Amino acid sequence: MGDDTAVNPRHNKAEVFARLRDAHAREVTEDYVEMIGDLIAEEGEARSVALAERFGVTAATVNNTIKRLERDGFVTSRPYRSIFLTEKGETLAKKCRERHRIVYNFLVSIGIDPEIAEFDAEGIEHHVSEETLRVFEKVAKT
Amino acid sequence: MGDDTAVNPRHNKAEVFARLRDAHAREVTEDYVEMIGDLIAEEGEARSVALAERFGVTAATVNNTIKRLERDGFVTSRPYRSIFLTEKGETLAKKCRERHRIVYNFLVSIGIDPEIAEFDAEGIEHHVSEETLRVFEKVAKT
DNA sequence: TTTTAAAGTTAGTCAAGGCTAAATTGATTT
DNA sequence: AAATCAATTTAGCCTTGACTAACTTTAAAA
């Protein structure tokens, strides 16, 4: 017993699902730092009203999330002022933007409609390993 | 104003994120019905101890989830007995198994290591639109 | 300068999805 | 038949991420 894994890889999937739960826990953080970065680039600053509008949630929800991001060291904010990325937040945002770009370009390169690619990339990007990302990059370059 | 979307598709992403939240709400349900189907196929019945082991969560968590699935009409269960899929659950399980297969085969077909493909497919499958799934299928067949 | 509108905050609620600890049930052994 | 062990259930707790409603602050207009 115990070598069930070797025999049938569909057993012992606990690790896969643990990773999945981790990925999920990071999703909101990643989407927020990415969006904050975009807003700063496009509009010069990130206001919570803009975040609420772009994510389609209420201002109260944005407030909660920003507090969490601040607690976790991704952003700084002062009451009634705009939101800034920390070094850590900046780094993550950059990584996410890059990953998003790769996934989106890959999907388009295999023939998916750009609008659908935009939808799907937003969901897929959080679940793509480094290895898979490299392959996506290579395929898209072809 | 209003045609912001046409000019820059990165604005007005609220819909994308709404869809993403919907997809997330369905993930656990999909993983459970798929796993319950697997267990019935492999072991003749789905016991919560097996679900707990495969997902890497506690029995209490499985119990909560099964209650939710029952409430939503995907499974039936009686205290201290095994879990059964309803018609609705069966249908969803079949769809999910098929989609998983397509995503996995696609990833392998573009050169991703089978073990990594298994990891990534588990995350990606819930975020692939019908359109993208068709393209994946076509690419994998090539 | 006062008023008002927009933006941001706070408080309280809810469901999902985790957990631990304790109680119960069912099945197996002695 | 009783004891024991594994499986299941229950109760209670936590965090995330959503909401509404009410309040405060800031900025803009009158």
Side-chain angles (χ1 to χ4, degrees):
Chain A
M1 238 171 291
D3 45 351
D4 226 23
T5 315
V7 177
N8 184 345
R10 285 192 72 74
H11 291 212
N12 262 78
K13 304 234 290 175
E15 213 193 319
V16 176
F17 290 102
R19 238 205 234 189
L20 199 56
R21 289 190 293 270
D22 281 1
H24 179 248
R26 271 191 302 269
E27 281 185 32
V28 171
T29 297
E30 294 183 347
D31 287 340
Y32 267 71
V33 296
E34 201 177 340
M35 191 68 92
I36 292 166
D38 285 355
L39 283 168
I40 291 170
E42 291 171 33
E43 307 183 355
E45 64 173 353
R47 306 298 306 230
S48 53
V49 67
L51 287 168
E53 195 251 321
R54 294 212 184 177
F55 285 123
V57 298
T58 63
T61 298
V62 169
N63 218 265
N64 281 339
T65 308
I66 294 302
K67 283 217 193 85
R68 205 164 49 245
L69 295 189
E70 195 161 22
R71 181 201 65 191
D72 297 342
F74 294 104
V75 305
T76 57
S77 77
R78 282 185 346 279
Y80 301 100
R81 290 282 170 273
S82 66
I83 299 143
F84 300 91
L85 292 171
T86 59
E87 269 297 307
K88 185 180 170 187
E90 194 84 67
T91 306
L92 182 61
K94 197 176 159 186
K95 199 187 109 190
C96 292
R97 200 163 26 242
E98 177 65 0
R99 195 183 52 188
H100 182 93
R101 192 189 60 74
I102 293 171
V103 173
Y104 173 80
N105 287 344
F106 167 76
L107 291 175
V108 171
S109 83
I110 63 167
I112 291 158
D113 177 273
E115 202 158 328
I116 290 166
E118 191 54 55
F119 263 95
D120 288 10
E122 201 61 62
I124 291 172
E125 60 175 329
H126 305 285
H127 300 283
V128 170
S129 62
E130 275 304 315
E131 294 90 333
T132 297
L133 203 61
R134 291 304 138 242
V135 175
F136 277 13
E137 213 173 5
K138 220 176 86 185
V139 170
K141 250 186 238 155
T142 316
Chain B
M1 239 172 289
D3 45 350
D4 226 23
T5 316
V7 178
N8 184 345
R10 283 192 72 74
H11 292 211
N12 262 78
K13 305 235 292 175
E15 212 192 320
V16 176
F17 290 103
R19 235 203 236 192
L20 199 56
R21 289 190 293 270
D22 281 1
H24 178 249
R26 271 191 302 269
E27 280 185 33
V28 171
T29 298
E30 295 183 346
D31 286 340
Y32 268 70
V33 296
E34 202 177 342
M35 192 67 93
I36 292 166
D38 285 355
L39 283 168
I40 292 171
E42 291 171 34
E43 307 184 354
E45 63 173 354
R47 306 298 306 237
S48 53
V49 67
L51 287 169
E53 194 253 321
R54 294 211 185 178
F55 285 123
V57 298
T58 63
T61 298
V62 169
N63 217 263
N64 281 339
T65 308
I66 294 302
K67 283 218 192 84
R68 207 165 45 245
L69 295 190
E70 194 162 22
R71 183 201 62 192
D72 296 342
F74 293 105
V75 305
T76 57
S77 76
R78 283 187 342 284
Y80 300 98
R81 290 284 170 274
S82 67
I83 299 144
F84 300 91
L85 292 171
T86 60
E87 269 296 308
K88 186 179 169 187
E90 195 85 66
T91 306
L92 182 61
K94 198 177 159 186
K95 199 187 109 190
C96 293
R97 201 163 24 241
E98 177 65 0
R99 194 183 52 188
H100 182 93
R101 192 189 59 76
I102 294 171
V103 173
Y104 173 79
N105 286 344
F106 166 77
L107 291 175
V108 171
S109 83
I110 62 167
I112 290 157
D113 178 273
E115 203 157 329
I116 290 167
E118 192 54 55
F119 263 94
D120 287 11
E122 202 61 64
I124 292 172
E125 60 174 330
H126 305 285
H127 300 283
V128 170
S129 62
E130 276 303 316
E131 294 89 333
T132 298
L133 204 61
R134 292 303 139 241
V135 176
F136 277 14
E137 213 173 5
K138 218 176 89 185
V139 171
K141 250 186 241 159
T142 316

